[in-house]
Amino acid sequence: MVKEKKSVHRIQMTEGKHQIIKQLLQEYNIETVADIQAALRDLLGSTIKDMMEAEMEQHLGYQKSER
């Protein structure tokens, strides 16, 4: 039985993406994995929270501050 290889999704690194990564490395002074995790928490934390609140408001049918 021959095992099939999984296809690898490769992202093309453009100059714009390279510059964004370079700026993030400088802004967050990333040197370790813990630094990367802290940067991701900072960048994505409020976005995920806002998305979850919007989903809950849609589910309940009213906004957080409404009675």
Side-chain angles (χ1 to χ4, degrees):
M1 185 172 211
V2 177
K3 197 172 189 181
E4 290 186 36
K5 288 185 178 182
K6 293 183 180 179
S7 64
V8 178
H9 179 72
R10 302 213 185 263
I11 298 173
Q12 185 174 357
M13 183 61 70
T14 62
E15 184 59 32
K17 290 176 186 176
H18 182 72
Q19 289 300 322
I20 290 170
I21 292 170
K22 190 175 180 180
Q23 289 173 338
L24 286 171
L25 290 171
Q26 290 174 346
E27 179 71 26
Y28 287 98
N29 194 24
I30 295 175
E31 296 178 358
T32 66
V33 172
D35 294 340
I36 293 171
Q37 291 173 335
L40 287 173
R41 250 191 319 275
D42 184 46
L43 291 167
L44 298 175
S46 62
T47 302
I48 293 171
K49 180 183 174 207
D50 291 344
M51 288 170 51
M52 291 176 71
E53 287 177 356
E55 186 175 339
M56 184 58 79
E57 288 172 2
Q58 183 180 14
H59 174 72
L60 295 175
Y62 58 89
Q63 291 185 354
K64 184 177 174 181
S65 59
E66 289 181 5
R67 289 184 166 227

